[in-house]
Amino acid sequence: MWNEAVHQQRSCRKPTFGKLSKLLTEARARSSWLRDGSQVAQQQTLRTYALAFQHSFRVKGRGRPRPKRRKDTLPSLEYTTRGFSIRDHRLRLPGGVSIPVVWSRELPSDPTSVRVYQDCLGYWHASFVVRRDTTPAPEANGTIGVDWGVTTTATTTDAVYDLPYLGHRKRCAAELAKAQRRMARRRRVKGARPSNGYLRAERQTARIAKKAARQNIHDARVWVKRVVDNHALIAVEDFQPKFLAKSRMARKAADAAIGIAKRELVERGLRAGRKVVLVPPAYTTMTCSQCGTRAKNRLGLGVRVFRCDTCGYTACRDRNAARTILATAERNRAGADDVRHAITSFRDGARVRSEPEIPRLPAVGKR
Ligand SMILES: [Zn+2]
């Protein structure tokens, strides 16, 4: 359905859900295999596509939706209220499909939709959209600045809240390499069906990689909770990982999973009603957090200590950057209104959800 919608782009310049579902009705009348499938799931795919298409205009750098290839797309289907039901603890889908679900927890309310998908390990999941009451975050009035890095994943204004480099991927690197070698040994020629031994080794490789990824997410969330619970203003470096991904620190930078930590921090901070400010990273390292003077020369990556020529303030390079980030956010607090941008986040290729506005400060001068 998705690829069919993409191919309609020539005839249907601005695909809306209405236009696409009209096409679906015609297509269902023509071909019987489409009629056999669930209409709700087909419509939902089109709805997702229409949203993705609209979204591609709003976010700079995001192209139009592209066709999905079976080779590298995991199966995923979404059903809305009309398309599924839960009876006797089983999930029932159209076409007489009844799935014995292993429930991770009780649903707090009646679900409005369910997404059934397979992960890279081959396990199937059902993810429900439910309404639930939020627990109010504790009162806090602290402020914090966060600077991302490789030696320490997150350096904050207060050393107590630093997130150290955890090295989950590094720890299992040898094990992963072993599993990948096993895969390479068992690989058959191109075009031939892979052997069972190869598939087993492939699953093992995926399991090791997935475990490290899960540990990263878990630790990021534990850290984020501590930060969010104790601070009212959170100034976050608007880190763009592109530069690090091209450097010789790429492996370690990827291991640190800065992107996950940043996303969780922004999301959970907003959810708790905290003020989250994204500060552009330009000049944060070379500006003195005490007197605000910007150094003439750029600090090389090897220089770990910042020294201000004007006031003589000396601090750890990252700590100074975190303080500068916080100072920038505090200084621009009043003026942040006119540079606000609404940010919509696009999740799982599925939903467009508008989030509360995050003020983004303009970059100071040229980079
Ligand atoms: Zn200074």
Side-chain angles (χ1 to χ4, degrees), residues 189-229:
V189 287
K190 208 176 170 187
R193 202 186 67 82
S195 67
N196 286 336
Y198 175 83
L199 293 176
R200 249 197 327 274
E202 192 184 34
R203 259 199 305 281
Q204 182 63 23
T205 313
R207 202 175 296 142
I208 296 166
K210 185 97 175 174
K211 186 181 173 189
R214 261 202 301 256
Q215 284 171 323
N216 269 330
I217 294 181
H218 173 84
D219 288 334
R221 284 183 182 164
V222 170
W223 171 74
V224 162
K225 178 149 178 36
R226 215 155 59 85
V227 171
V228 167
D229 278 357

Side-chain angles (χ1 to χ4, degrees), residues 287-293 306-313:
T287 306
C288 174
S289 59
Q290 287 291 301
C291 64
T293 319
F306 173 84
R307 223 193 123 72
C308 178
D309 292 335
T310 317
C311 70
Y313 173 73

Side-chain angles (χ1 to χ4, degrees), residues 319-336:
R319 189 86 54 212
N320 176 57
R323 288 185 183 138
T324 309
I325 287 164
L326 178 60
T328 315
E330 277 176 336
R331 199 173 50 243
N332 284 284
R333 228 171 173 178

Side-chain angles (χ1 to χ4, degrees), residues 169-180:
R169 289 201 180 97
K170 194 182 173 191
R171 203 176 309 119
C172 64
E175 202 188 342
L176 187 66
K178 200 174 160 189
Q180 283 168 339

